[in-house]
């Protein structure tokens, strides 16, 4: 496995790793905190990217590693798979670490996301702000989500909001043409300008979730993405991946 794969996954997991004090060792493709040591390993024989976890004793000694999650490695489509794999790895580490999230007592304590500063590459917060500007009905949903989980589980949030909204609009394309144009325009713009996390959320979560059952619908909507051919290509590839990969479907449909 190329070192860039470990780098891509840990970049997508960076907020999680920082929150729980994991220190990255790129040389060994591992990261650890006071309780767990984690390795992202490539099983060449099985062509799998594996997540291995071991206990760390009070004295700092690392126990025996156990493989707790794995994904088929597809070099051609890894860019599209990375967000789902990273999300699954974070969820799996949380499960094996017994991590529980603090909750906000009141929705008024939850701040809405901010837009990107001038000259700054839009990140997940800026993308979420754009989405909530287009669909303000989800602002309270966002606050309730943060209040309940104590953090932004963005894959879950966009599956429950952006994917649902896109499917709702697709149910009557003619009547909802203007809203579809606006939604796709925002997705295309952010796909071209934003960081890697946003790029993966757009293709691997929103497009996949909205069109996985009927990829022909996406073909009809490609006209809205004339200015973003890279998103069109990525979406076509990831919809094919969804159709072929049982593991991908299982994780996405959790």
């Amino acid at each position: 496995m190329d070192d860039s794969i470990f780098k891509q996954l840990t970049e997508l997991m960076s907020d999680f790793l920082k929150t729980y004090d994991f220190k990255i060792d790129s040389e060994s493709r591992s990261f650890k905190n006071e309780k767990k040591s984690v390795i992202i390993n490539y099983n060449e024989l099985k062509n799998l990217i594996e997540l291995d976890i071991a206990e760390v004793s009070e004295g700092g000694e690392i126990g025996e590693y156990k493989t707790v999650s794995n994904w088929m490695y597809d070099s051609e489509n890894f860019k599209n798979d990375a967000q789902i794999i990273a999300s699954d790895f974070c969820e799996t580490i949380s499960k094996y670490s017994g991590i529980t999230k603090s909750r906000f007592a009141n929705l008024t304590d939850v701040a809405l996301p901010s837009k990107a500063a001038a000259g700054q590459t839009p990140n997940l917060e800026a993308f979420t702000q754009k989405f909530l500007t287009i669909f303000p009905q989800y602002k309270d949903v966002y606050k309730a989500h943060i209040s309940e989980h104590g953090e932004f589980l963005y894959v879950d949030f966009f599956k429950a909001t952006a994917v649902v909204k896109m499917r709702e609009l697709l149910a009557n394309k003619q009547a909802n043409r203007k809203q579809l144009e606006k939604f796709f325009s925002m997705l295309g713009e952010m796909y071209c300008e934003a960081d890697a996390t946003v790029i993966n959320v757009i293709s691997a979560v929103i497009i996949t979730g909205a069109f996985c059952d009927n990829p022909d619908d996406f073909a009809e909507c490609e006209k809205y993405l004339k200015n973003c051919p890279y998103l069109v290509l990525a979406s076509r590839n990831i919809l094919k991946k969804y159709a072929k990969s049982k593991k991908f479907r299982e994780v996405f449909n959790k």
Side-chain angles (χ1 to χ4, degrees), residues 4-22:
S4 65
I5 303 304
F6 177 81
K7 183 179 179 181
Q8 286 181 67
L9 289 174
T10 50
E11 283 179 352
L12 291 169
M13 299 168 68
S14 61
D15 289 344
F16 174 86
L17 298 180
K18 289 176 184 177
T19 298
Y20 297 105
D21 298 320
F22 281 100

Side-chain angles (χ1 to χ4, degrees), residues 160-203:
T161 57
V163 171
V164 171
K165 187 61 180 178
M166 181 69 83
R167 283 177 172 262
E168 177 187 312
L169 297 175
L170 291 169
N172 192 337
K173 298 185 189 68
Q174 186 58 39
N176 298 318
R177 180 177 56 83
K178 289 187 177 180
Q179 281 189 289
L180 283 168
E181 286 178 351
K182 194 171 184 178
F183 198 175
F184 275 108
S185 177
M186 185 273 285
L187 294 178
E189 175 188 340
M190 296 300 282
Y191 190 88
C192 293
E193 298 179 0
D195 65 17
T197 300
V198 174
I199 287 171
N200 280 283
V201 166
I202 291 171
S203 60

Side-chain angles (χ1 to χ4, degrees), residues 27-143:
E27 186 174 345
S28 62
R29 294 180 183 145
S30 67
F31 42 87
K32 62 177 287 192
N33 60 14
E34 293 182 350
K35 295 182 179 180
K36 300 290 180 183
S37 179
V38 183
I39 293 176
I40 294 178
N41 178 54
Y42 175 56
N43 186 326
E44 188 173 358
L45 184 63
K46 297 182 179 180
N47 193 34
L48 294 174
I49 300 174
E50 298 177 334
L51 183 74
D52 300 341
I53 295 182
E55 299 285 341
V56 177
S57 69
E58 291 185 3
E61 295 182 359
I62 299 174
E64 183 178 351
Y65 285 96
K66 175 184 178 183
T67 300
V68 293
S69 184
N70 61 70
W71 283 83
M72 187 69 69
Y73 175 54
D74 182 346
S75 59
E76 292 185 3
N77 294 306
F78 182 75
K79 182 180 178 181
N80 294 325
D81 299 342
Q83 185 63 61
I84 295 294
I85 296 174
S87 178
D88 174 62
F89 282 1
C90 289
E91 183 177 328
T92 301
I93 295 168
S94 294
K95 175 183 174 182
Y96 280 86
S97 300
I99 292 172
T100 56
K101 313 297 189 304
S102 59
R103 301 187 178 192
F104 289 85
N106 299 302
L107 295 187
T108 53
D109 296 331
V110 181
L112 289 170
S114 303
K115 63 181 180 180
Q120 183 182 51
T121 299
N123 57 14
L124 189 63
E125 182 175 9
F127 174 71
T128 307
Q129 187 272 336
K130 283 267 191 181
F131 173 74
L132 294 177
T133 298
I134 296 176
F135 301 111
Q137 65 267 38
Y138 292 119
K139 288 182 178 180
D140 285 344
V141 176
Y142 173 85
K143 288 187 174 185

